[in-house]
Amino acid sequence: RKTSLRDLADQTAVARSTYEEHLRKAENKLLTNAGQFLRLVTATSTADPLQVETTRQAEQPAG
């Protein structure tokens, strides 16, 4: 977060626009695969594989 695309591209000797394009493609692949993984995990389990309820309970204010 404390660096720019220009700084990163300069470190790799690649044009900023090319670096940005590669970064976007990598992000899209990660998000696509994460979505497929989450669908697979939630579709094949009857439990709470992502621990949604545990998270919700932890976020509830003490009352």
Side-chain angles (χ1 to χ4, degrees):
R1 292 180 184 254
K2 294 183 180 183
T3 190
S4 67
L5 283 173
R6 166 77 55 211
D7 293 337
L8 293 171
D10 287 346
Q11 291 178 21
T12 60
V14 173
R16 185 207 50 82
S17 59
T18 302
Y19 190 90
E20 183 176 11
E21 181 180 348
H22 288 294
L23 183 60
R24 284 191 200 285
K25 286 181 180 181
E27 288 173 338
N28 285 334
K29 285 182 181 182
L30 285 171
L31 292 174
T32 298
N33 290 328
Q36 291 173 352
F37 174 76
L38 290 174
R39 281 191 294 279
L40 175 66
V41 169
T42 56
T44 59
S45 176
T46 57
D48 187 12
L50 302 177
Q51 299 180 343
V52 174
E53 286 304 317
T54 304
T55 303
R56 285 183 185 155
Q57 290 171 2
E59 292 175 350
Q60 295 288 326

